[in-house]
Amino acid sequence: MSVSVSDISLDEDDTSVGEQEEEEIFELSEEDLLQLLDNQEPALQVCSRLFHEGWDKHTRFSCLNQSQISDLKHRGFMIKDDCLAETVCEQLHAKAVQLHSAGNMEKATKVGLMPDMPLDKFTDVSARGDSITWLHEGSLSGPGGSAGLHAMQLLQEVQADLHSVMHLEKRSAEYQLAVYVGGGSQYVKHRDALPDDGADPNQRRVTAILYANPDWRPADGGHLRIWLPPDSRGQCDGAVSSCLSDKLQAVKLQITDHPWPQTGIHIQEVNGERVLDIAPVSGRLVVFLSGAIDHAVLPSHNPRVALTAWCQ
């Protein structure tokens, strides 16, 4: 992406004729921009300001609970299992595979391009291997369509719960059904949005993912990998680097003391960073703050189906 920077280097005493502001344009990758923003203030600390101050602890929720809301605010993500019946997951999985087989899904790397338009030379087709379709309530029909509607209604309940505790601009959401067909297809590390505390009404603020993969086994792969951010409750009193180091140490202790008992969730260290690998088992819901959580889809070796909602 291109970034414009105003570079004014004249002294106050410089009265030379023709002094003017010079604008420098340079290329900055998304990864570099995120690093720059994170160095200014940790992303989770920024995004945690989306939550209402001191929301009512007695608020009644349709789908989530107080503990899960707290995890989302302070850890940046939450996990809930058994959100969909197994029969619904089976039907949704079959519907997604059928849509893909019928050619009704598009390679995610080509979304937005005109038909027959080639990818530009900067597009890394190996970075993302899923095929997708955008959903609305009228787009699902035929066998398995009711399962998709049921899953969308559940995600709408999640969004309604979040509306009661945080600043979301819209009542609607973007819904995407995705299939990784196997063969090692993956999605490399990325973030869904820039860190946002509510100042930008057009940013995605929450990502909610429902998985529909009956009889998932570890050999199937396709884990969601989350890079664990520093806990938002920490305060930066000194240098950012020192603050991040202290807070990362705190996260290690918190995660050790708070293991997830669900199937297929484990923590490890990768290149000096703590990551959480989450199996895409049927009925599992993962919700995270879009501008705070770096994540990836690890290589999938069997068809992997997920329905994602992005809330703004």
Side-chain angles (χ1 to χ4, degrees):
M1 64 182 66
S2 295
V3 177
S4 172
V5 176
S6 296
D7 182 13
I8 304 176
S9 58
L10 297 174
D11 296 330
E12 292 181 1
D13 296 334
D14 190 338
T15 57
S16 59
V17 177
E19 48 179 69
Q20 61 181 355
E21 180 179 308
E22 296 181 1
E23 188 176 74
E24 180 184 356
I25 306 295
F26 61 97
E27 292 296 321
L28 189 66
S29 70
E30 183 174 320
E31 182 180 358
D32 289 339
L33 176 59
L34 287 170
Q35 185 63 57
L36 181 66
L37 294 172
D38 291 351
N39 285 341
Q40 293 175 349
E41 183 180 5
L44 181 54
Q45 192 164 297
V46 174
C47 294
S48 67
R49 293 198 290 272
L50 289 168
F51 289 81
H52 303 315
E53 286 292 333
W55 73 76
D56 186 356
K57 302 302 181 183
H58 300 291
T59 300
R60 297 178 67 89
F61 300 111
S62 298
C63 184
L64 307 180
N65 60 40
Q66 292 285 353
S67 177
Q68 289 159 352
I69 296 290
S70 180
D71 273 351
L72 182 62
K73 178 179 180 179
H74 297 296
R75 301 181 189 278
F77 67 96
M78 53 136 291
I79 305 168
K80 179 179 180 179
D81 278 352
D82 302 320
C83 293
L84 288 177
E86 189 67 19
T87 53
V88 174
C89 292
E90 290 171 353
Q91 292 168 11
L92 181 57
H93 185 95
K95 180 67 174 180
V97 172
Q98 180 267 324
L99 286 171
H100 180 270
S101 299
N104 294 323
M105 285 189 164
E106 190 172 8
K107 283 283 188 183
T109 50
K110 296 207 69 175
V111 169
L113 297 179
M114 295 292 290
D116 301 321
M117 180 183 292
L119 296 171
D120 66 59
K121 63 182 180 179
F122 301 107
T123 301
D124 180 4
V125 295
S126 66
R128 182 174 184 181
D130 57 331
S131 295
I132 66 171
T133 186
W134 298 99
L135 299 183
H136 53 82
E137 292 188 1
S139 64
L140 290 168
S141 60
S146 61
L149 290 175
H150 187 86
M152 289 175 66
Q153 288 165 2
L154 176 69
L155 291 173
Q156 288 166 0
E157 290 180 11
V158 171
Q159 187 177 12
D161 285 349
L162 294 176
H163 260 285
S164 66
V165 297
M166 64 187 301
H167 300 286
L168 294 178
E169 293 287 331
K170 298 180 180 180
R171 292 284 174 179
S172 58
E174 305 169 82
Y175 296 98
Q176 177 190 278
L177 187 63
V179 175
Y180 290 81
V181 295
S185 52
Q186 62 180 331
Y187 194 168
V188 299
K189 182 180 180 181
H190 63 285
R191 200 180 300 179
D192 286 352
L194 298 178
D196 175 44
D197 60 4
D200 186 347
N202 297 315
Q203 286 281 358
R204 290 171 171 172
R205 296 181 178 175
V206 177
T207 303
I209 310 172
L210 265 175
Y211 294 105
N213 300 295
D215 303 318
W216 179 90
R217 300 170 300 168
D220 294 335
H223 291 75
L224 173 69
R225 171 167 289 178
I226 283 178
W227 276 259
L228 295 171
D231 191 291
S232 69
R233 285 167 288 201
Q235 297 296 321
C236 288
D237 299 319
V240 170
S241 59
S242 174
C243 170
L244 288 177
S245 176
D246 291 344
K247 284 166 45 175
L248 281 170
Q249 202 59 41
V251 166
K252 291 182 181 182
L253 292 175
Q254 291 163 8
I255 297 299
T256 301
D257 294 340
H258 183 50
W260 281 267
Q262 297 104 315
T263 301
I265 300 178
H266 63 278
I267 301 162
Q268 60 178 318
E269 192 164 302
V270 176
N271 297 325
E273 298 178 290
R274 299 284 272 190
V275 299
L276 189 70
D277 289 345
I278 305 168
V281 298
S282 278
R284 173 164 288 166
L285 170 70
V286 180
V287 182
F288 56 85
L289 299 176
S290 305
I293 297 296
D294 291 325
H295 57 288
V297 175
L298 301 186
S300 303
H301 305 294
N302 263 323
R304 173 196 190 271
V305 171
L307 176 61
T308 300
W310 284 285
C311 310
Q312 292 183 349

